[in-house]
Amino acid sequence: MEELVIRDADVIDGSGADSYRADVVVGGGRITGIVKEAAAAGCQRPKARRELDAEGLVLSPGFVDMHAHSDLALLRDPDHSAKAAQGVTLEVLGQDGLSYAPVDDRTLGEVRRAIAGWNGSGDDIDFDWRTVGEYLDRIDRGVAVNAAYLIPQGTVRALAVGWEDREATPQELDRMRQLVAEGMEQGAVGMSSGLTYTPGMYARDAELTELCRVVASYGGYYGPHHRSYGAGALEAYEEMVALTREAGCPLHLTHATMNFGVNKGRAPELLALLDEALAAGADISLDTYPYTPGCTTLAALLPSWASEGGPGQVVERLADDETAERIRRDLEVTGSDGCHGLPVEWDTIEISGVGDPALTEFVGHTVQESADVRGEAPWETARGLLLADRLAPTILQHVGHEENVRAIMRHRVHTGGSDGILQGAKPHPRAYGTFPHYFGHYVRELGVLSLEECVAHLTSRPAARLRLPDRGLVREGYAADLVLFDPATVAAGSSFAEPRVLPTGIPYVLVGGRFVIEDGRRTDALAGRAVRRTPA
């Protein structure tokens, strides 16, 4: 007898097709049977050790977070309700070109410090891995949800070249090719970049193209945070399309937004660019989060020259008055490349988290607001905070446009990604709310997408990009990564005021056939495992 039968569910199977009523049978971590309209047909209904009445609930494949920053959170916090409670059954880690494999002892320390704002210091983690394969093995010990991994190009460059702004030597490029090939062989699904973050931003297009050729040879994809989401955003998108077409590598544009005042209402131009490339045969997909503000670290806004050499040298430059004045001019007058080529607007930069609890007075306030209270220029407030907190502060950047968000999420190659940073006292609510917010706000309240369309965006499309032949659809033989939600009540509980509130209307989530959310509560199941690349 099978383990579970889910009775009378309204199945939205992830294909985009209309829903149907069915009993769905689960056994051995797989979907073993689907009996459509069992009750109405009067046929013999499937039996199992446990029966779950799904009357009034939608049964769909588990949601795939195509852009997650849970690289350490999955290991640190077995509960991981921030994602499990949203119906996320698979996260893609290693984003924005910076993560924790492959590394040696030197680069591990540098990377930990550089992205402490994303993932914490890691002082509570036993870093008992160095390679991509060893990191995936660590995940295989048991985590809350499944995880796939992108090789972080910035980390690879730090390992082979360092944190200097220069071209790689032929020998260094060979070393980077080797590291990428090893990571792909060990199970990575592709490569990411953070081209407004050091040291990845120092790579020229020719270097990136060569690495993408390696990724493509293993059937992976390239997921860049490209060189600008502000001034020159369209040119930055064009650069990535051209680069990957030359390399013959599939392209997945991460958090594909059009932000800042210069891009208000310009999403149709981006979509036209993508449509033209798709019509010409390009293999492109993208992800977005359903909110207008962005989220990153305060240090990320600094000009690239100020970040050269790694975190230690950044602190030294900030501490020097003359150099700090140069940084200020780049930020406030010229337009820092770290701030997407536009002068920073301090009243849009809200501090969302700090590493030092003594600095929590800044959290929830813009840099401008804190500067006004302190009676000083906003740059001095920002500079002082970066120095006092050793580059750890995270920020919300209120620079997005709702019309762009809606236009991009309608596109036929769109998928969902939270870009959720789980650190800080007041993180972006997308970390806890992205997937229910799609259904509650953009499907039920606004009708931007139909229920069937939205499920497809969040399930089968990302599974296809990841080349997962047994996920993303409700089909016999597929992995039993499943979500049961109430379309009438599903909604994000998180908000900008209270960002850590869990969603409503998602009572059941299964990973590998095991309940990780049951009756709306997190179980103790650690059913998640590493999802490794399927060979091309």
Side-chain angles (χ1 to χ4, degrees), residues 354-363 389:
V354 291
D356 184 350
L359 300 170
T360 55
E361 65 186 272
F362 293 95
V363 175
D389 208 27

Side-chain angles (χ1 to χ4, degrees), residues 157 162-166 198-199 201-202 302-317:
R157 196 171 212 274
W163 296 71
E164 291 76 37
D165 183 2
R166 63 174 176 83
T198 55
M201 69 192 308
Y202 300 139
L302 301 177
S304 57
W305 64 262
S307 301
E308 186 178 1
Q313 292 192 36
V314 177
V315 171
E316 290 178 11
R317 292 185 183 107

Side-chain angles (χ1 to χ4, degrees), residues 357-424:
L359 300 170
T360 55
E361 65 186 272
F362 293 95
V363 175
H365 302 286
T366 67
V367 172
Q368 185 67 61
E369 288 170 342
S370 292
D372 290 344
V373 169
R374 299 165 70 86
E376 61 187 12
W379 163 241
E380 288 307 315
T381 299
R383 176 193 178 194
L385 183 56
L386 285 165
L387 287 169
D389 208 27
R390 305 291 291 179
L391 310 182
T394 53
I395 62 170
L396 302 183
Q397 199 164 9
H398 295 271
V399 292
H401 307 286
E402 179 66 20
E403 65 270 39
N404 287 346
V405 170
R406 297 187 194 186
I408 294 169
M409 76 168 62
R410 291 189 184 101
H411 197 270
R412 66 186 186 279
V413 300
H414 170 266
T415 68
S418 70
D419 197 12
I421 294 175
L422 298 167
Q423 290 297 119

Side-chain angles (χ1 to χ4, degrees), residues 110-131:
E110 292 167 344
V111 169
R112 285 178 60 183
R113 188 170 177 185
I115 55 174
W118 294 355
N119 298 304
S121 66
D123 291 341
D124 52 350
I125 300 292
D126 178 11
F127 288 90
D128 58 352
W129 69 86
R130 293 296 181 268
T131 69

Side-chain angles (χ1 to χ4, degrees), residues 262-297:
V262 295
N263 291 317
K264 183 177 175 61
R266 297 187 68 190
E269 297 176 56
L270 166 62
L271 301 180
L273 165 67
L274 299 182
D275 285 338
E276 181 180 356
L278 289 163
D283 184 354
I284 301 174
S285 55
L286 61 86
D287 67 65
T288 67
Y289 46 84
Y291 299 87
T292 52
C295 177
T296 186
T297 63

Side-chain angles (χ1 to χ4, degrees), residues 93-163:
L93 311 177
Q95 300 287 350
D96 292 333
L98 288 167
S99 190
Y100 305 94
V103 292
D104 57 16
D105 291 347
R106 170 186 63 83
T107 53
L108 176 60
E110 292 167 344
V111 169
R112 285 178 60 183
R113 188 170 177 185
I115 55 174
W118 294 355
N119 298 304
S121 66
D123 291 341
D124 52 350
I125 300 292
D126 178 11
F127 288 90
D128 58 352
W129 69 86
R130 293 296 181 268
T131 69
V132 170
E134 290 168 349
Y135 177 72
L136 295 177
D137 289 344
R138 175 67 178 272
I139 289 173
D140 274 340
R141 298 180 198 173
V143 291
V145 302
N146 298 312
Y149 190 75
L150 294 169
I151 301 163
Q153 170 259 328
T155 300
V156 166
R157 196 171 212 274
L159 187 54
V161 180
W163 296 71

Side-chain angles (χ1 to χ4, degrees), residues 425-471:
K426 196 181 177 188
H428 197 301
R430 68 192 185 195
Y432 284 72
T434 286
F435 296 88
H437 194 53
Y438 269 117
F439 289 109
H441 187 57
Y442 287 96
V443 172
R444 186 176 63 244
E445 295 177 1
L446 299 180
V448 173
L449 297 170
S450 72
L451 198 55
E452 290 83 1
E453 287 173 329
C454 192
V455 169
H457 285 221
L458 306 181
T459 59
S460 63
R461 286 189 191 174
R465 167 51 72 217
L466 295 167
R467 297 194 177 190
L468 303 178
D470 62 348
R471 298 173 196 266

